[in-house]
Amino acid sequence: MQIDVPATLGATLRGARRVVVFTGAGMSAESGVPTFRDDLTGLWSRFDAERLATPEAFHADPDLVWGWYEWRRARVRRAEPNPGHLATAEIETLVPGSVVITQNVDDLHERAGSRAPIHLHGSLFAPRCIGEDAHPADVPDTDPGDGGRIPPPRCTHCGALVRPGVVWFGEQLPIAALNAAVEAASSCDVLLTVGTSGVVYPAAEIPRIAMLSGAMVIQVNPEPTPLDRICAVNLRGTAAQVLPALIASAR
Ligand code: BV8
């Protein structure tokens, strides 16, 4: 489906000093990675993602939670970056100094060529142990099939259980990532918010910080979100449709 992107947005992007692309799960939807609020498919349909993505769920049933993350990690490994990821990486070439801030725990921005995405909620590819030193763990790629319970490995340094390297609900965001994201949002002149429902905090503050700092906030989402009211422009379309059109108008 052709999306009409106002030509003025291309000029705005081209003339920007610094662009921030703030992304959520909708960015990876067209790569076949389910969004956070999609009904969890198959085996996971009877669980609530927000209940599984917590320290309490892991401590109550490590095999269930580890199995869920291994199932998600295998899905991401099989996925490819979509045209939205590629267009996002091209923005960094078009406007040097631009940066991606992502809530996603996949590695699709990196695989599309984005240099150093800021991961506010960690990564599926950075498991660590729950011991005091949080030793990074090297977890082999397995095929968990449709998922199911998988006992988490033990740390080879201290023997503690290994956990996914993501930020769970109730856990603090990595301070360095959060500070870098706030600095980028405060100093950009355009922020694109792409594929996020804008309901999880403090990440959802990022577009507001940009707007309050004088940036033009442009939203790319097929649906309305709470962020609509702080956006100068709401492009009702998908990441893989809109972002390539936006970049084409900026070249
Ligand atoms: C914390 C990693 C405190 C794990 C995730 C106020 C202030 C601070 C905190 C809170 C607060 N109020 C409540 C809280 C607590 C909580 C919170 O925000 N709860 C919500 C539910 C109200 N926040 C926290 O717990 C955070 N921690 O505050 O700690 C603290 C302080 C000091 C000391 C100790 C503690 C931690 C939150 C991080 C949770 N981890 N992910 C994992 O992945 O398993 S969150 C997870 O959901 C995602 O990472 C993402 O951030 C979030 C929302 O998902 P989205 O990315 O937006 O995806 P979603 O499915 O919701 O929407 C998809 C969108 O895409 C839709 O709009 C759809 O229309 C659109 N779309 C679909 N297809 C496409 C598309 N768009 C474009 N193209 C398409 N093709």
Side-chain angles (χ1 to χ4, degrees), residues 25-26 30 36-37 69 72 103 121 167 170-171 196-197 201 221 239:
E30 285 151 295
F36 214 79
R37 278 163 185 73
Y69 281 94
R72 290 174 60 189
Q103 302 170 86
H121 294 157
V167 178
E171 293 188 320
T196 184
S197 55
Y201 284 84
N221 194 321

mmCIF file with all atom_site columns, all heavy atoms in Angstrom, residues 25-26 30 36-37 69 72 103 121 167 170-171 196-197 201 221 239, ligand 1:
data_model
loop_
_atom_site.group_PDB
_atom_site.id
_atom_site.type_symbol
_atom_site.label_atom_id
_atom_site.label_alt_id
_atom_site.label_comp_id
_atom_site.label_asym_id
_atom_site.label_entity_id
_atom_site.label_seq_id
_atom_site.pdbx_PDB_ins_code
_atom_site.Cartn_x
_atom_site.Cartn_y
_atom_site.Cartn_z
_atom_site.occupancy
_atom_site.B_iso_or_equiv
_atom_site.pdbx_formal_charge
_atom_site.auth_seq_id
_atom_site.auth_comp_id
_atom_site.auth_asym_id
_atom_site.auth_atom_id
_atom_site.pdbx_PDB_model_num
ATOM   1   N N   . ALA A 1 25  ? 7.851  -2.425  19.614 1.00 0.00 ? 25  ALA A N   1
ATOM   2   C CA  . ALA A 1 25  ? 7.699  -3.757  19.014 1.00 0.00 ? 25  ALA A CA  1
ATOM   3   C C   . ALA A 1 25  ? 7.100  -3.718  17.611 1.00 0.00 ? 25  ALA A C   1
ATOM   4   O O   . ALA A 1 25  ? 7.355  -4.588  16.775 1.00 0.00 ? 25  ALA A O   1
ATOM   5   C CB  . ALA A 1 25  ? 6.835  -4.629  19.927 1.00 0.00 ? 25  ALA A CB  1
ATOM   6   N N   . GLY A 1 26  ? 6.305  -2.671  17.318 1.00 0.00 ? 26  GLY A N   1
ATOM   7   C CA  . GLY A 1 26  ? 5.706  -2.582  15.983 1.00 0.00 ? 26  GLY A CA  1
ATOM   8   C C   . GLY A 1 26  ? 6.757  -2.447  14.896 1.00 0.00 ? 26  GLY A C   1
ATOM   9   O O   . GLY A 1 26  ? 6.537  -2.806  13.737 1.00 0.00 ? 26  GLY A O   1
ATOM   10  N N   . GLU A 1 30  ? 6.755  -6.482  11.084 1.00 0.00 ? 30  GLU A N   1
ATOM   11  C CA  . GLU A 1 30  ? 6.811  -6.941  9.680  1.00 0.00 ? 30  GLU A CA  1
ATOM   12  C C   . GLU A 1 30  ? 8.023  -7.820  9.403  1.00 0.00 ? 30  GLU A C   1
ATOM   13  O O   . GLU A 1 30  ? 8.238  -8.262  8.296  1.00 0.00 ? 30  GLU A O   1
ATOM   14  C CB  . GLU A 1 30  ? 6.772  -5.726  8.733  1.00 0.00 ? 30  GLU A CB  1
ATOM   15  C CG  . GLU A 1 30  ? 5.364  -5.127  8.644  1.00 0.00 ? 30  GLU A CG  1
ATOM   16  C CD  . GLU A 1 30  ? 5.358  -3.640  8.353  1.00 0.00 ? 30  GLU A CD  1
ATOM   17  O OE1 . GLU A 1 30  ? 5.842  -2.856  9.189  1.00 0.00 ? 30  GLU A OE1 1
ATOM   18  O OE2 . GLU A 1 30  ? 4.854  -3.257  7.288  1.00 0.00 ? 30  GLU A OE2 1
ATOM   19  N N   . PHE A 1 36  ? 4.449  -6.859  21.615 1.00 0.00 ? 36  PHE A N   1
ATOM   20  C CA  . PHE A 1 36  ? 4.332  -7.223  23.028 1.00 0.00 ? 36  PHE A CA  1
ATOM   21  C C   . PHE A 1 36  ? 2.879  -7.481  23.413 1.00 0.00 ? 36  PHE A C   1
ATOM   22  O O   . PHE A 1 36  ? 2.573  -8.311  24.226 1.00 0.00 ? 36  PHE A O   1
ATOM   23  C CB  . PHE A 1 36  ? 4.902  -6.084  23.898 1.00 0.00 ? 36  PHE A CB  1
ATOM   24  C CG  . PHE A 1 36  ? 5.557  -6.621  25.129 1.00 0.00 ? 36  PHE A CG  1
ATOM   25  C CD1 . PHE A 1 36  ? 6.829  -7.146  25.048 1.00 0.00 ? 36  PHE A CD1 1
ATOM   26  C CD2 . PHE A 1 36  ? 4.890  -6.664  26.330 1.00 0.00 ? 36  PHE A CD2 1
ATOM   27  C CE1 . PHE A 1 36  ? 7.444  -7.684  26.161 1.00 0.00 ? 36  PHE A CE1 1
ATOM   28  C CE2 . PHE A 1 36  ? 5.501  -7.186  27.452 1.00 0.00 ? 36  PHE A CE2 1
ATOM   29  C CZ  . PHE A 1 36  ? 6.777  -7.693  27.367 1.00 0.00 ? 36  PHE A CZ  1
ATOM   30  N N   . ARG A 1 37  ? 1.994  -6.745  22.722 1.00 0.00 ? 37  ARG A N   1
ATOM   31  C CA  . ARG A 1 37  ? 0.578  -6.867  23.091 1.00 0.00 ? 37  ARG A CA  1
ATOM   32  C C   . ARG A 1 37  ? -0.221 -7.708  22.118 1.00 0.00 ? 37  ARG A C   1
ATOM   33  O O   . ARG A 1 37  ? -1.421 -7.815  22.242 1.00 0.00 ? 37  ARG A O   1
ATOM   34  C CB  . ARG A 1 37  ? -0.030 -5.462  23.259 1.00 0.00 ? 37  ARG A CB  1
ATOM   35  C CG  . ARG A 1 37  ? 0.308  -4.931  24.616 1.00 0.00 ? 37  ARG A CG  1
ATOM   36  C CD  . ARG A 1 37  ? 0.149  -3.460  24.790 1.00 0.00 ? 37  ARG A CD  1
ATOM   37  N NE  . ARG A 1 37  ? 0.632  -3.128  26.119 1.00 0.00 ? 37  ARG A NE  1
ATOM   38  C CZ  . ARG A 1 37  ? 1.913  -3.122  26.439 1.00 0.00 ? 37  ARG A CZ  1
ATOM   39  N NH1 . ARG A 1 37  ? 2.816  -3.422  25.538 1.00 0.00 ? 37  ARG A NH1 1
ATOM   40  N NH2 . ARG A 1 37  ? 2.328  -2.862  27.669 1.00 0.00 ? 37  ARG A NH2 1
ATOM   41  N N   . TYR A 1 69  ? 11.690 -17.020 26.762 1.00 0.00 ? 69  TYR A N   1
ATOM   42  C CA  . TYR A 1 69  ? 12.707 -16.148 26.143 1.00 0.00 ? 69  TYR A CA  1
ATOM   43  C C   . TYR A 1 69  ? 13.523 -16.892 25.093 1.00 0.00 ? 69  TYR A C   1
ATOM   44  O O   . TYR A 1 69  ? 13.898 -16.351 24.058 1.00 0.00 ? 69  TYR A O   1
ATOM   45  C CB  . TYR A 1 69  ? 13.582 -15.514 27.223 1.00 0.00 ? 69  TYR A CB  1
ATOM   46  C CG  . TYR A 1 69  ? 12.893 -14.337 27.881 1.00 0.00 ? 69  TYR A CG  1
ATOM   47  C CD1 . TYR A 1 69  ? 12.144 -14.483 29.053 1.00 0.00 ? 69  TYR A CD1 1
ATOM   48  C CD2 . TYR A 1 69  ? 12.919 -13.080 27.284 1.00 0.00 ? 69  TYR A CD2 1
ATOM   49  C CE1 . TYR A 1 69  ? 11.469 -13.414 29.616 1.00 0.00 ? 69  TYR A CE1 1
ATOM   50  C CE2 . TYR A 1 69  ? 12.252 -11.993 27.843 1.00 0.00 ? 69  TYR A CE2 1
ATOM   51  C CZ  . TYR A 1 69  ? 11.514 -12.166 29.009 1.00 0.00 ? 69  TYR A CZ  1
ATOM   52  O OH  . TYR A 1 69  ? 10.836 -11.093 29.550 1.00 0.00 ? 69  TYR A OH  1
ATOM   53  N N   . ARG A 1 72  ? 11.449 -16.888 22.045 1.00 0.00 ? 72  ARG A N   1
ATOM   54  C CA  . ARG A 1 72  ? 11.487 -15.568 21.399 1.00 0.00 ? 72  ARG A CA  1
ATOM   55  C C   . ARG A 1 72  ? 12.831 -15.341 20.727 1.00 0.00 ? 72  ARG A C   1
ATOM   56  O O   . ARG A 1 72  ? 12.927 -14.811 19.609 1.00 0.00 ? 72  ARG A O   1
ATOM   57  C CB  . ARG A 1 72  ? 11.196 -14.477 22.439 1.00 0.00 ? 72  ARG A CB  1
ATOM   58  C CG  . ARG A 1 72  ? 9.780  -14.465 22.925 1.00 0.00 ? 72  ARG A CG  1
ATOM   59  C CD  . ARG A 1 72  ? 9.568  -13.468 24.053 1.00 0.00 ? 72  ARG A CD  1
ATOM   60  N NE  . ARG A 1 72  ? 9.880  -12.105 23.658 1.00 0.00 ? 72  ARG A NE  1
ATOM   61  C CZ  . ARG A 1 72  ? 9.936  -11.073 24.525 1.00 0.00 ? 72  ARG A CZ  1
ATOM   62  N NH1 . ARG A 1 72  ? 9.700  -11.278 25.814 1.00 0.00 ? 72  ARG A NH1 1
ATOM   63  N NH2 . ARG A 1 72  ? 10.223 -9.866  24.110 1.00 0.00 ? 72  ARG A NH2 1
ATOM   64  N N   . GLN A 1 103 ? 13.057 0.184   22.453 1.00 0.00 ? 103 GLN A N   1
ATOM   65  C CA  . GLN A 1 103 ? 12.521 -0.591  23.581 1.00 0.00 ? 103 GLN A CA  1
ATOM   66  C C   . GLN A 1 103 ? 12.615 -2.085  23.267 1.00 0.00 ? 103 GLN A C   1
ATOM   67  O O   . GLN A 1 103 ? 12.330 -2.909  24.120 1.00 0.00 ? 103 GLN A O   1
ATOM   68  C CB  . GLN A 1 103 ? 11.057 -0.233  23.829 1.00 0.00 ? 103 GLN A CB  1
ATOM   69  C CG  . GLN A 1 103 ? 10.809 1.233   24.116 1.00 0.00 ? 103 GLN A CG  1
ATOM   70  C CD  . GLN A 1 103 ? 9.320  1.549   24.103 1.00 0.00 ? 103 GLN A CD  1
ATOM   71  O OE1 . GLN A 1 103 ? 8.632  1.392   25.110 1.00 0.00 ? 103 GLN A OE1 1
ATOM   72  N NE2 . GLN A 1 103 ? 8.819  1.980   22.974 1.00 0.00 ? 103 GLN A NE2 1
ATOM   73  N N   . HIS A 1 121 ? 15.577 -1.474  27.184 1.00 0.00 ? 121 HIS A N   1
ATOM   74  C CA  . HIS A 1 121 ? 15.065 -2.649  27.902 1.00 0.00 ? 121 HIS A CA  1
ATOM   75  C C   . HIS A 1 121 ? 15.917 -3.882  27.691 1.00 0.00 ? 121 HIS A C   1
ATOM   76  O O   . HIS A 1 121 ? 15.426 -5.008  27.809 1.00 0.00 ? 121 HIS A O   1
ATOM   77  C CB  . HIS A 1 121 ? 13.609 -2.904  27.475 1.00 0.00 ? 121 HIS A CB  1
ATOM   78  C CG  . HIS A 1 121 ? 12.694 -1.807  27.909 1.00 0.00 ? 121 HIS A CG  1
ATOM   79  N ND1 . HIS A 1 121 ? 11.493 -1.542  27.292 1.00 0.00 ? 121 HIS A ND1 1
ATOM   80  C CD2 . HIS A 1 121 ? 12.822 -0.875  28.886 1.00 0.00 ? 121 HIS A CD2 1
ATOM   81  C CE1 . HIS A 1 121 ? 10.905 -0.513  27.896 1.00 0.00 ? 121 HIS A CE1 1
ATOM   82  N NE2 . HIS A 1 121 ? 11.691 -0.077  28.849 1.00 0.00 ? 121 HIS A NE2 1
ATOM   83  N N   . VAL A 1 167 ? 15.204 -6.030  30.643 1.00 0.00 ? 167 VAL A N   1
ATOM   84  C CA  . VAL A 1 167 ? 14.705 -5.307  31.824 1.00 0.00 ? 167 VAL A CA  1
ATOM   85  C C   . VAL A 1 167 ? 13.271 -5.757  32.061 1.00 0.00 ? 167 VAL A C   1
ATOM   86  O O   . VAL A 1 167 ? 12.411 -5.548  31.190 1.00 0.00 ? 167 VAL A O   1
ATOM   87  C CB  . VAL A 1 167 ? 14.744 -3.782  31.605 1.00 0.00 ? 167 VAL A CB  1
ATOM   88  C CG1 . VAL A 1 167 ? 14.179 -3.053  32.824 1.00 0.00 ? 167 VAL A CG1 1
ATOM   89  C CG2 . VAL A 1 167 ? 16.163 -3.316  31.296 1.00 0.00 ? 167 VAL A CG2 1
ATOM   90  N N   . GLY A 1 170 ? 9.170  -3.658  36.828 1.00 0.00 ? 170 GLY A N   1
ATOM   91  C CA  . GLY A 1 170 ? 9.592  -3.498  38.229 1.00 0.00 ? 170 GLY A CA  1
ATOM   92  C C   . GLY A 1 170 ? 11.087 -3.384  38.378 1.00 0.00 ? 170 GLY A C   1
ATOM   93  O O   . GLY A 1 170 ? 11.588 -3.071  39.447 1.00 0.00 ? 170 GLY A O   1
ATOM   94  N N   . GLU A 1 171 ? 11.835 -3.577  37.276 1.00 0.00 ? 171 GLU A N   1
ATOM   95  C CA  . GLU A 1 171 ? 13.300 -3.423  37.327 1.00 0.00 ? 171 GLU A CA  1
ATOM   96  C C   . GLU A 1 171 ? 13.711 -2.060  36.772 1.00 0.00 ? 171 GLU A C   1
ATOM   97  O O   . GLU A 1 171 ? 13.060 -1.528  35.860 1.00 0.00 ? 171 GLU A O   1
ATOM   98  C CB  . GLU A 1 171 ? 13.991 -4.546  36.529 1.00 0.00 ? 171 GLU A CB  1
ATOM   99  C CG  . GLU A 1 171 ? 13.820 -5.933  37.156 1.00 0.00 ? 171 GLU A CG  1
ATOM   100 C CD  . GLU A 1 171 ? 14.667 -6.997  36.470 1.00 0.00 ? 171 GLU A CD  1
ATOM   101 O OE1 . GLU A 1 171 ? 14.766 -6.970  35.204 1.00 0.00 ? 171 GLU A OE1 1
ATOM   102 O OE2 . GLU A 1 171 ? 15.220 -7.838  37.185 1.00 0.00 ? 171 GLU A OE2 1
ATOM   103 N N   . THR A 1 196 ? 5.227  1.970   18.671 1.00 0.00 ? 196 THR A N   1
ATOM   104 C CA  . THR A 1 196 ? 5.108  1.767   20.116 1.00 0.00 ? 196 THR A CA  1
ATOM   105 C C   . THR A 1 196 ? 3.749  2.255   20.600 1.00 0.00 ? 196 THR A C   1
ATOM   106 O O   . THR A 1 196 ? 3.231  3.255   20.135 1.00 0.00 ? 196 THR A O   1
ATOM   107 C CB  . THR A 1 196 ? 6.234  2.476   20.894 1.00 0.00 ? 196 THR A CB  1
ATOM   108 O OG1 . THR A 1 196 ? 6.092  2.151   22.295 1.00 0.00 ? 196 THR A OG1 1
ATOM   109 C CG2 . THR A 1 196 ? 6.206  3.981   20.715 1.00 0.00 ? 196 THR A CG2 1
ATOM   110 N N   . SER A 1 197 ? 3.224  1.500   21.580 1.00 0.00 ? 197 SER A N   1
ATOM   111 C CA  . SER A 1 197 ? 1.914  1.877   22.139 1.00 0.00 ? 197 SER A CA  1
ATOM   112 C C   . SER A 1 197 ? 2.077  3.008   23.147 1.00 0.00 ? 197 SER A C   1
ATOM   113 O O   . SER A 1 197 ? 1.107  3.595   23.600 1.00 0.00 ? 197 SER A O   1
ATOM   114 C CB  . SER A 1 197 ? 1.274  0.647   22.814 1.00 0.00 ? 197 SER A CB  1
ATOM   115 O OG  . SER A 1 197 ? 2.178  0.120   23.787 1.00 0.00 ? 197 SER A OG  1
ATOM   116 N N   . TYR A 1 201 ? 6.500  2.982   30.977 1.00 0.00 ? 201 TYR A N   1
ATOM   117 C CA  . TYR A 1 201 ? 7.374  4.053   31.483 1.00 0.00 ? 201 TYR A CA  1
ATOM   118 C C   . TYR A 1 201 ? 8.607  3.461   32.146 1.00 0.00 ? 201 TYR A C   1
ATOM   119 O O   . TYR A 1 201 ? 8.582  2.291   32.559 1.00 0.00 ? 201 TYR A O   1
ATOM   120 C CB  . TYR A 1 201 ? 6.570  4.895   32.483 1.00 0.00 ? 201 TYR A CB  1
ATOM   121 C CG  . TYR A 1 201 ? 5.592  5.813   31.768 1.00 0.00 ? 201 TYR A CG  1
ATOM   122 C CD1 . TYR A 1 201 ? 4.339  5.332   31.384 1.00 0.00 ? 201 TYR A CD1 1
ATOM   123 C CD2 . TYR A 1 201 ? 5.956  7.103   31.437 1.00 0.00 ? 201 TYR A CD2 1
ATOM   124 C CE1 . TYR A 1 201 ? 3.456  6.157   30.686 1.00 0.00 ? 201 TYR A CE1 1
ATOM   125 C CE2 . TYR A 1 201 ? 5.074  7.932   30.754 1.00 0.00 ? 201 TYR A CE2 1
ATOM   126 C CZ  . TYR A 1 201 ? 3.838  7.449   30.371 1.00 0.00 ? 201 TYR A CZ  1
ATOM   127 O OH  . TYR A 1 201 ? 2.978  8.254   29.676 1.00 0.00 ? 201 TYR A OH  1
ATOM   128 N N   . ASN A 1 221 ? 2.512  4.809   13.085 1.00 0.00 ? 221 ASN A N   1
ATOM   129 C CA  . ASN A 1 221 ? 1.776  3.723   13.744 1.00 0.00 ? 221 ASN A CA  1
ATOM   130 C C   . ASN A 1 221 ? 0.428  3.584   13.032 1.00 0.00 ? 221 ASN A C   1
ATOM   131 O O   . ASN A 1 221 ? -0.235 4.606   12.817 1.00 0.00 ? 221 ASN A O   1
ATOM   132 C CB  . ASN A 1 221 ? 1.566  4.072   15.240 1.00 0.00 ? 221 ASN A CB  1
ATOM   133 C CG  . ASN A 1 221 ? 1.125  2.875   16.052 1.00 0.00 ? 221 ASN A CG  1
ATOM   134 O OD1 . ASN A 1 221 ? 0.334  2.051   15.598 1.00 0.00 ? 221 ASN A OD1 1
ATOM   135 N ND2 . ASN A 1 221 ? 1.675  2.737   17.249 1.00 0.00 ? 221 ASN A ND2 1
ATOM   136 N N   . ALA A 1 239 ? 5.682  0.547   9.765  1.00 0.00 ? 239 ALA A N   1
ATOM   137 C CA  . ALA A 1 239 ? 7.096  0.923   9.685  1.00 0.00 ? 239 ALA A CA  1
ATOM   138 C C   . ALA A 1 239 ? 7.666  0.603   8.307  1.00 0.00 ? 239 ALA A C   1
ATOM   139 O O   . ALA A 1 239 ? 8.355  1.439   7.702  1.00 0.00 ? 239 ALA A O   1
ATOM   140 C CB  . ALA A 1 239 ? 7.880  0.167   10.770 1.00 0.00 ? 239 ALA A CB  1
HETATM 141 C C1  . BV8 B 2 .   ? 10.536 0.736   36.276 1.00 0.00 ? 1   BV8 B C1  1
HETATM 142 C C2  . BV8 B 2 .   ? 11.634 -6.065  28.014 1.00 0.00 ? 1   BV8 B C2  1
HETATM 143 C C3  . BV8 B 2 .   ? 11.084 1.397   38.478 1.00 0.00 ? 1   BV8 B C3  1
HETATM 144 C C4  . BV8 B 2 .   ? 11.171 -7.414  28.485 1.00 0.00 ? 1   BV8 B C4  1
HETATM 145 C C5  . BV8 B 2 .   ? 9.826  -4.518  28.608 1.00 0.00 ? 1   BV8 B C5  1
HETATM 146 C C6  . BV8 B 2 .   ? 5.608  5.322   35.836 1.00 0.00 ? 1   BV8 B C6  1
HETATM 147 C C7  . BV8 B 2 .   ? 6.966  5.565   35.911 1.00 0.00 ? 1   BV8 B C7  1
HETATM 148 C C8  . BV8 B 2 .   ? 7.862  4.503   36.003 1.00 0.00 ? 1   BV8 B C8  1
HETATM 149 C C9  . BV8 B 2 .   ? 7.403  3.178   35.986 1.00 0.00 ? 1   BV8 B C9  1
HETATM 150 C C10 . BV8 B 2 .   ? 6.066  2.934   35.910 1.00 0.00 ? 1   BV8 B C10 1
HETATM 151 C C11 . BV8 B 2 .   ? 5.174  3.993   35.836 1.00 0.00 ? 1   BV8 B C11 1
HETATM 152 N N1  . BV8 B 2 .   ? 3.939  3.452   35.773 1.00 0.00 ? 1   BV8 B N1  1
HETATM 153 C C12 . BV8 B 2 .   ? 4.037  2.108   35.783 1.00 0.00 ? 1   BV8 B C12 1
HETATM 154 C C13 . BV8 B 2 .   ? 5.309  1.761   35.874 1.00 0.00 ? 1   BV8 B C13 1
HETATM 155 C C14 . BV8 B 2 .   ? 5.792  0.389   35.933 1.00 0.00 ? 1   BV8 B C14 1
HETATM 156 C C15 . BV8 B 2 .   ? 6.086  -0.182  34.563 1.00 0.00 ? 1   BV8 B C15 1
HETATM 157 C C16 . BV8 B 2 .   ? 5.128  0.243   33.488 1.00 0.00 ? 1   BV8 B C16 1
HETATM 158 O O1  . BV8 B 2 .   ? 5.400  1.189   32.739 1.00 0.00 ? 1   BV8 B O1  1
HETATM 159 N N2  . BV8 B 2 .   ? 4.020  -0.473  33.390 1.00 0.00 ? 1   BV8 B N2  1
HETATM 160 C C17 . BV8 B 2 .   ? 3.040  -0.197  32.348 1.00 0.00 ? 1   BV8 B C17 1
HETATM 161 C C18 . BV8 B 2 .   ? 2.415  -1.502  31.885 1.00 0.00 ? 1   BV8 B C18 1
HETATM 162 C C19 . BV8 B 2 .   ? 2.021  0.775   32.904 1.00 0.00 ? 1   BV8 B C19 1
HETATM 163 N N3  . BV8 B 2 .   ? 7.450  0.163   34.182 1.00 0.00 ? 1   BV8 B N3  1
HETATM 164 C C20 . BV8 B 2 .   ? 8.451  -0.617  34.646 1.00 0.00 ? 1   BV8 B C20 1
HETATM 165 O O2  . BV8 B 2 .   ? 8.304  -1.553  35.397 1.00 0.00 ? 1   BV8 B O2  1
HETATM 166 C C21 . BV8 B 2 .   ? 9.861  -0.233  34.202 1.00 0.00 ? 1   BV8 B C21 1
HETATM 167 N N4  . BV8 B 2 .   ? 10.695 -0.191  35.369 1.00 0.00 ? 1   BV8 B N4  1
HETATM 168 O O3  . BV8 B 2 .   ? 9.790  1.652   36.172 1.00 0.00 ? 1   BV8 B O3  1
HETATM 169 O O4  . BV8 B 2 .   ? 11.306 0.503   37.389 1.00 0.00 ? 1   BV8 B O4  1
HETATM 170 C C22 . BV8 B 2 .   ? 12.243 1.258   39.352 1.00 0.00 ? 1   BV8 B C22 1
HETATM 171 C C23 . BV8 B 2 .   ? 12.982 2.401   39.655 1.00 0.00 ? 1   BV8 B C23 1
HETATM 172 C C24 . BV8 B 2 .   ? 14.036 2.283   40.516 1.00 0.00 ? 1   BV8 B C24 1
HETATM 173 C C25 . BV8 B 2 .   ? 14.368 1.023   41.064 1.00 0.00 ? 1   BV8 B C25 1
HETATM 174 C C26 . BV8 B 2 .   ? 13.637 -0.111  40.730 1.00 0.00 ? 1   BV8 B C26 1
HETATM 175 C C27 . BV8 B 2 .   ? 12.562 0.003   39.868 1.00 0.00 ? 1   BV8 B C27 1
HETATM 176 C C28 . BV8 B 2 .   ? 10.453 -1.303  33.301 1.00 0.00 ? 1   BV8 B C28 1
HETATM 177 C C29 . BV8 B 2 .   ? 9.653  -1.449  32.055 1.00 0.00 ? 1   BV8 B C29 1
HETATM 178 C C30 . BV8 B 2 .   ? 10.382 -2.387  31.068 1.00 0.00 ? 1   BV8 B C30 1
HETATM 179 C C31 . BV8 B 2 .   ? 9.613  -3.666  30.899 1.00 0.00 ? 1   BV8 B C31 1
HETATM 180 N N5  . BV8 B 2 .   ? 10.237 -4.485  29.846 1.00 0.00 ? 1   BV8 B N5  1
HETATM 181 N N6  . BV8 B 2 .   ? 10.472 -5.231  27.668 1.00 0.00 ? 1   BV8 B N6  1
HETATM 182 C C32 . BV8 B 2 .   ? 10.621 -8.248  27.368 1.00 0.00 ? 1   BV8 B C32 1
HETATM 183 O O5  . BV8 B 2 .   ? 10.667 -7.829  26.185 1.00 0.00 ? 1   BV8 B O5  1
HETATM 184 O O6  . BV8 B 2 .   ? 10.176 -9.381  27.681 1.00 0.00 ? 1   BV8 B O6  1
HETATM 185 S S1  . BV8 B 2 .   ? 8.473  -3.625  28.162 1.00 0.00 ? 1   BV8 B S1  1
HETATM 186 C C33 . BV8 B 2 .   ? 7.875  -4.084  26.640 1.00 0.00 ? 1   BV8 B C33 1
HETATM 187 O O7  . BV8 B 2 .   ? 6.564  -3.530  26.476 1.00 0.00 ? 1   BV8 B O7  1
HETATM 188 C C34 . BV8 B 2 .   ? 8.602  -3.505  25.466 1.00 0.00 ? 1   BV8 B C34 1
HETATM 189 O O8  . BV8 B 2 .   ? 9.977  -3.469  25.652 1.00 0.00 ? 1   BV8 B O8  1
HETATM 190 C C35 . BV8 B 2 .   ? 8.046  -2.119  25.305 1.00 0.00 ? 1   BV8 B C35 1
HETATM 191 O O9  . BV8 B 2 .   ? 8.792  -1.182  26.009 1.00 0.00 ? 1   BV8 B O9  1
HETATM 192 C C36 . BV8 B 2 .   ? 6.757  -2.190  26.039 1.00 0.00 ? 1   BV8 B C36 1
HETATM 193 C C37 . BV8 B 2 .   ? 5.618  -1.694  25.213 1.00 0.00 ? 1   BV8 B C37 1
HETATM 194 O O10 . BV8 B 2 .   ? 5.584  -2.430  24.056 1.00 0.00 ? 1   BV8 B O10 1
HETATM 195 P P1  . BV8 B 2 .   ? 5.649  -1.695  22.633 1.00 0.00 ? 1   BV8 B P1  1
HETATM 196 O O11 . BV8 B 2 .   ? 7.045  -1.767  22.193 1.00 0.00 ? 1   BV8 B O11 1
HETATM 197 O O12 . BV8 B 2 .   ? 5.010  -0.370  22.644 1.00 0.00 ? 1   BV8 B O12 1
HETATM 198 O O13 . BV8 B 2 .   ? 4.779  -2.725  21.879 1.00 0.00 ? 1   BV8 B O13 1
HETATM 199 P P2  . BV8 B 2 .   ? 3.226  -2.920  22.019 1.00 0.00 ? 1   BV8 B P2  1
HETATM 200 O O14 . BV8 B 2 .   ? 2.962  -4.335  21.664 1.00 0.00 ? 1   BV8 B O14 1
HETATM 201 O O15 . BV8 B 2 .   ? 2.710  -2.366  23.307 1.00 0.00 ? 1   BV8 B O15 1
HETATM 202 O O16 . BV8 B 2 .   ? 2.662  -1.971  20.884 1.00 0.00 ? 1   BV8 B O16 1
HETATM 203 C C38 . BV8 B 2 .   ? 3.046  -2.184  19.569 1.00 0.00 ? 1   BV8 B C38 1
HETATM 204 C C39 . BV8 B 2 .   ? 2.621  -0.943  18.804 1.00 0.00 ? 1   BV8 B C39 1
HETATM 205 O O17 . BV8 B 2 .   ? 3.052  -1.083  17.465 1.00 0.00 ? 1   BV8 B O17 1
HETATM 206 C C40 . BV8 B 2 .   ? 1.112  -0.741  18.762 1.00 0.00 ? 1   BV8 B C40 1
HETATM 207 O O18 . BV8 B 2 .   ? 0.832  0.626   18.981 1.00 0.00 ? 1   BV8 B O18 1
HETATM 208 C C41 . BV8 B 2 .   ? 0.744  -1.138  17.327 1.00 0.00 ? 1   BV8 B C41 1
HETATM 209 O O19 . BV8 B 2 .   ? -0.335 -0.359  16.837 1.00 0.00 ? 1   BV8 B O19 1
HETATM 210 C C42 . BV8 B 2 .   ? 1.996  -0.808  16.584 1.00 0.00 ? 1   BV8 B C42 1
HETATM 211 N N7  . BV8 B 2 .   ? 2.251  -1.617  15.383 1.00 0.00 ? 1   BV8 B N7  1
HETATM 212 C C43 . BV8 B 2 .   ? 1.878  -2.900  15.143 1.00 0.00 ? 1   BV8 B C43 1
HETATM 213 N N8  . BV8 B 2 .   ? 2.370  -3.286  13.934 1.00 0.00 ? 1   BV8 B N8  1
HETATM 214 C C44 . BV8 B 2 .   ? 3.081  -2.224  13.444 1.00 0.00 ? 1   BV8 B C44 1
HETATM 215 C C45 . BV8 B 2 .   ? 3.003  -1.163  14.364 1.00 0.00 ? 1   BV8 B C45 1
HETATM 216 N N9  . BV8 B 2 .   ? 3.605  0.022   14.155 1.00 0.00 ? 1   BV8 B N9  1
HETATM 217 C C46 . BV8 B 2 .   ? 4.292  0.177   13.010 1.00 0.00 ? 1   BV8 B C46 1
HETATM 218 N N10 . BV8 B 2 .   ? 4.420  -0.795  12.080 1.00 0.00 ? 1   BV8 B N10 1
HETATM 219 C C47 . BV8 B 2 .   ? 3.817  -2.001  12.263 1.00 0.00 ? 1   BV8 B C47 1
HETATM 220 N N11 . BV8 B 2 .   ? 3.943  -2.958  11.329 1.00 0.00 ? 1   BV8 B N11 1
#
